[in-house]
C-alpha cells in the first residue's frame, strides 16, 4: 500500500492524473468506485438530457476548467474520508487533499474531524433537499473540473458552490444563469417569438424572483433577473410568490418604467401585498402607493377613488389622485400641456433591443378596466 500512496503523492505534486500514471496496473489494482447500499444517483459525467446541450431548448451545457482527479471521484482507493449527506441519503468516499484544494470550507471541516483508530472519519453535511440531489455534481466538479449544467438544477448547484467557496463553479453557474435570463429577456420582448417562449426556455417567474432577492447571487445576475421580472410583471403579481416578495422589490417594480402590467392590476396587486403582509407602517404604505401612476388609471377607477375618499389618511397619495383627475379633465387643452410632466405621466413602455425608448407625448386613454374591489367602498381601502 505504501508504494501506491507514494505514487499518488508524486502524481499529485506533478499535476498528472494518477490513473494515467498507473496505467500498467493489473485489473484488480485499478480504482474502485464506491456506492452506498441502494444508492443511485445520475452519472455526473454524462448530460442529464441525452446530449441536448442547448439552453434554448431547455437542455444542458457542459463546463470544464482543467482535468485532474476525475478517476478518483467517489473511489475507495486512497480514500481517507467519507462524506454523508443528510444522514446517509447520499454517501461518498473522498480524499481530503483533493477536496481541500478546491474548497477551503470543506478543508476546514475535514481538518476538524476526530480520528478514531483505523476507521475512516465521516463528514456529515446537512443540505436542503434540492441541494442534496445535486451534491454529486458538485463533488464531481471538485475532482474533475467539469460539470453538466441544466436549468432545472443550476440554482441549487450555485448555492453549494457559494456555501463551500468553490469559485470556478460559482462562475460557471452564474454565467449559465445569465445566459438563460438574457435568452428569456429577449424572447418575451420579441413579438416574433412570442411571450410564452420565455416560460418554456427560461426560469419561472418564481425562480426569477428568487434570483433577484438572493443574497448569494452576483449583482449582475440580480440586475438581469429584475429586468426579466419587469417584462413579466403581470405574471409575478398574479403568482403566489408575489405575497412573499420583499418591500424593496415591490417598490422597485412599481417604480420601473418597463413594468409590463396595466396600472389597474398594479394598484390591485399593491393593495393585496399590503394586506397579505399586514403592513401598518404609514410611510411604507405611502412608499408603495405613490409609485402607482394614477393618470394611467381609467377615469372610472379615479372616480371611485375620489368619491370614496380612499386615501384620505395619505395626503401625498390623495394629491396624486387629484392631479390625475385634473389631467383627464384638461389634457386636451393646449395651454395645459406644460402642467402634466413628470414620472406620473410617463407611460410604462418596454425598452427595445437598441435601448432607445419612445415615450408618447400624450398618454393614451387606458382601457376601461374594472374598479379594484378594494376601492369600491371606503371600508376596504387603506385606513392607517
Amino acid at each position: 500500500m505504501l508504494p501506491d500512496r507514494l505514487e499518488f503523492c508524486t502524481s499529485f505534486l506533478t499535476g498528472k492524473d494518477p490513473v494515467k500514471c498507473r496505467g500498467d496496473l493489473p485489473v484488480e489494482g485499478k480504482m474502485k468506485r464506491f456506492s452506498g447500499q441502494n444508492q443511485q444517483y445520475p452519472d455526473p459525467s454524462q448530460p442529464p438530457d441525452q446530449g441536448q446541450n442547448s439552453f434554448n431548448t431547455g437542455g444542458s451545457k457542459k463546463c470544464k476548467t482543467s482535468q485532474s482527479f476525475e478517476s478518483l471521484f467517489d473511489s475507495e482507493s486512497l480514500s481517507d474520508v467519507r462524506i454523508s449527506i443528510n444522514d446517509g441519503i447520499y454517501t461518498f468516499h473522498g480524499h481530503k487533499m483533493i477536496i481541500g484544494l478546491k474548497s477551503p470550507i470543506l478543508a476546514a471541516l475535514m481538518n476538524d474531524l476526530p480520528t478514531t483508530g483505523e476507521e475512516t472519519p465521516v463528514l456529515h453535511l446537512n443540505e436542503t433537499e434540492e441541494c442534496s440531489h445535486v451534491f454529486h455534481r458538485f463533488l464531481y466538479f471538485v475532482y474533475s473540473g467539469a460539470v453538466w449544467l441544466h436549468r432545472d438544477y443550476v440554482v441549487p448547484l450555485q448555492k453549494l458552490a457559494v456555501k463551500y467557496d468553490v469559485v470556478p463553479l460559482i462562475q460557471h453557474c452564474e454565467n449559465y444563469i445569465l445566459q438563460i435570463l438574457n435568452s428569456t429577456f429577449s424572447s418575451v420582448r420579441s413579438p416574433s417569438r412570442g411571450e410564452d417562449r420565455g416560460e418554456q426556455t427560461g426560469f419561472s417567474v418564481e425562480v426569477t424572483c428568487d434570483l433577484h432577492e438572493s443574497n448569494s447571487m452576483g449583482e449582475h445576475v440580480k440586475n438581469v433577473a429584475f429586468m426579466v421580472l419587469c417584462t413579466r410583471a403581470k405574471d409575478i403579481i398574479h403568482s403566489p410568490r408575489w405575497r412573499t416578495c420583499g418591500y424593496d422589490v415591490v417598490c422597485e417594480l412599481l417604480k420601473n418604467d418597463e413594468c409590463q402590467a396595466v396600472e389597474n392590476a398594479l394598484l390591485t396587486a399593491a393593495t393585496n401585498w399590503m394586506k397579505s403582509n399586514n403592513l401598518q407602517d404609514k410611510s411604507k404604505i405611502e412608499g408603495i402607493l405613490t409609485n402607482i401612476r394614477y393618470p394611467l388609471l381609467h377615469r372610472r377607477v379615479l372616480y371611485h377613488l375620489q368619491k370614496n375618499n380612499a386615501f384620505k389618511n395619505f395626503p401625498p397619495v390623495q394629491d396624486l389622485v387629484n392631479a390625475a383627475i385634473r389631467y383627464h379633465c384638461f389634457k386636451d387643452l393646449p395651454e395645459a400641456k406644460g402642467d402634466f410632466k413628470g414620472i406620473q405621466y410617463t407611460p410604462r413602455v418596454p425598452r427595445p433591443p437598441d435601448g432607445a425608448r419612445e415615450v408618447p407625448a400624450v398618454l393614451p386613454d387606458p382601457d376601461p378596466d374594472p374598479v379594484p374591489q378594494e376601492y369600491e367602498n371606503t371600508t376596504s381601502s387603506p385606513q392607517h
Side-chain angles (χ1 to χ4, degrees):
M1 195 64 182
L2 183 58
D4 285 347
R5 290 190 178 273
L6 289 174
E7 186 174 358
F8 171 78
C9 292
T10 301
S11 62
F12 176 80
L13 292 173
T14 58
K16 296 180 179 179
D17 193 323
V19 174
K20 292 182 178 178
C21 293
R22 303 176 63 197
D24 56 344
L25 288 176
V27 173
E28 61 270 19
K30 291 186 177 180
M31 303 298 177
K32 295 186 291 183
R33 297 285 187 186
F34 169 80
S35 181
Q37 185 177 5
N38 299 324
Q39 173 174 293
Q40 292 184 352
Y41 53 80
D43 185 354
S45 66
Q46 299 299 318
D49 47 10
Q50 290 77 48
Q52 298 179 10
N53 56 357
S54 171
F55 64 87
N56 284 326
T57 60
S60 58
K61 173 185 177 182
K62 187 175 184 180
C63 296
K64 188 176 179 65
T65 51
S66 59
Q67 181 163 351
S68 58
F69 302 108
E70 181 176 358
S71 299
L72 284 173
F73 166 71
D74 202 6
S75 170
E76 289 179 296
S77 297
L78 305 177
S79 172
D80 53 3
V81 67
R82 288 180 62 187
I83 301 175
S84 174
I85 308 299
N86 295 350
D87 297 325
I89 293 180
Y90 298 107
T91 308
F92 304 90
H93 265 67
H95 308 79
K96 292 182 181 179
M97 185 177 294
I98 297 173
I99 297 173
L101 281 174
K102 292 290 182 67
S103 169
I105 306 299
L106 286 175
L109 292 174
M110 291 185 296
N111 287 337
D112 291 339
L113 289 175
T115 54
T116 55
E118 295 183 358
E119 292 186 7
T120 303
V122 179
L123 176 62
H124 295 277
L125 299 176
N126 293 317
E127 308 294 347
T128 63
E129 183 179 3
E130 60 176 4
C131 287
S132 68
H133 292 326
V134 295
F135 194 88
H136 64 288
R137 296 190 182 277
F138 165 78
L139 193 61
Y140 180 78
F141 179 85
V142 169
Y143 276 78
S144 69
V147 63
W148 281 100
L149 299 177
H150 193 277
R151 178 188 62 188
D152 293 345
Y153 59 73
V154 66
V155 175
L157 190 61
Q158 187 268 354
K159 291 179 181 178
L160 284 174
V162 170
K163 180 179 180 179
Y164 296 114
D165 196 19
V166 181
V167 176
L169 184 56
I170 295 174
Q171 295 171 343
H172 285 314
C173 290
E174 292 193 358
N175 286 339
Y176 185 66
I177 289 171
L178 279 172
Q179 288 182 32
I180 296 175
L181 288 173
N182 284 321
S183 175
T184 305
F185 187 62
S186 299
S187 64
V188 298
R189 296 167 55 141
S190 173
S192 62
R193 299 177 67 179
E195 203 160 321
D196 292 338
R197 180 77 168 162
E199 182 69 36
Q200 295 170 3
T201 64
F203 298 114
S204 67
V205 288
E206 293 82 2
V207 173
T208 304
C209 195
D210 292 342
L211 291 173
H212 176 60
E213 293 191 300
S214 172
N215 292 325
S216 65
M217 285 292 166
E219 285 301 314
H220 190 40
V221 173
K222 296 169 70 171
N223 291 338
V224 177
F226 179 72
M227 292 165 60
V228 174
L229 279 182
C230 288
T231 61
R232 303 189 61 190
K234 68 178 182 181
D235 296 323
I236 186 64
I237 64 176
H238 290 110
S239 73
R241 179 64 173 82
W242 174 248
R243 296 192 298 270
T244 61
C245 286
Y247 171 79
D248 290 338
V249 174
V250 173
C251 288
E252 288 173 11
L253 200 63
L254 296 176
K255 188 185 299 183
N256 195 277
D257 288 343
E258 299 178 43
C259 179
Q260 296 302 290
V262 295
E263 211 67 26
N264 187 58
L266 293 176
L267 175 59
T268 302
T271 306
N272 289 340
W273 185 91
M274 291 187 291
K275 286 184 175 181
S276 298
N277 290 274
N278 193 26
L279 191 63
Q280 303 291 328
D281 189 319
K282 185 175 180 178
S283 64
K284 288 189 174 182
I285 293 174
E286 287 185 353
I288 289 176
L289 292 176
T290 52
N291 284 315
I292 299 297
R293 301 184 183 183
Y294 295 93
L296 302 185
L297 296 173
H298 191 266
R299 287 176 297 176
R300 183 167 178 264
V301 177
L302 292 171
Y303 168 77
H304 282 273
L305 293 177
Q306 178 72 14
K307 177 183 177 181
N308 296 321
N309 206 11
F311 301 125
K312 63 181 180 181
N313 294 324
F314 305 94
V317 183
Q318 188 62 49
D319 289 345
L320 293 177
V321 173
N322 294 337
I325 293 173
R326 288 196 301 272
Y327 167 79
H328 282 280
C329 290
F330 306 121
K331 64 180 179 179
D332 295 327
L333 295 177
E335 58 267 37
K337 294 296 183 183
D339 296 343
F340 307 118
K341 294 181 179 180
I343 191 68
Q344 279 282 307
Y345 306 95
T346 304
R348 301 183 189 269
V349 181
R351 189 182 301 276
D354 61 6
R357 297 177 71 249
E358 294 183 3
V359 180
V362 179
L363 292 180
D365 282 327
D367 294 330
D369 299 315
V371 180
Q373 184 178 1
E374 292 81 0
Y375 300 103
E376 286 185 334
N377 56 71
T378 55
T379 59
S380 58
S381 58
Q383 297 294 322
H384 303 294

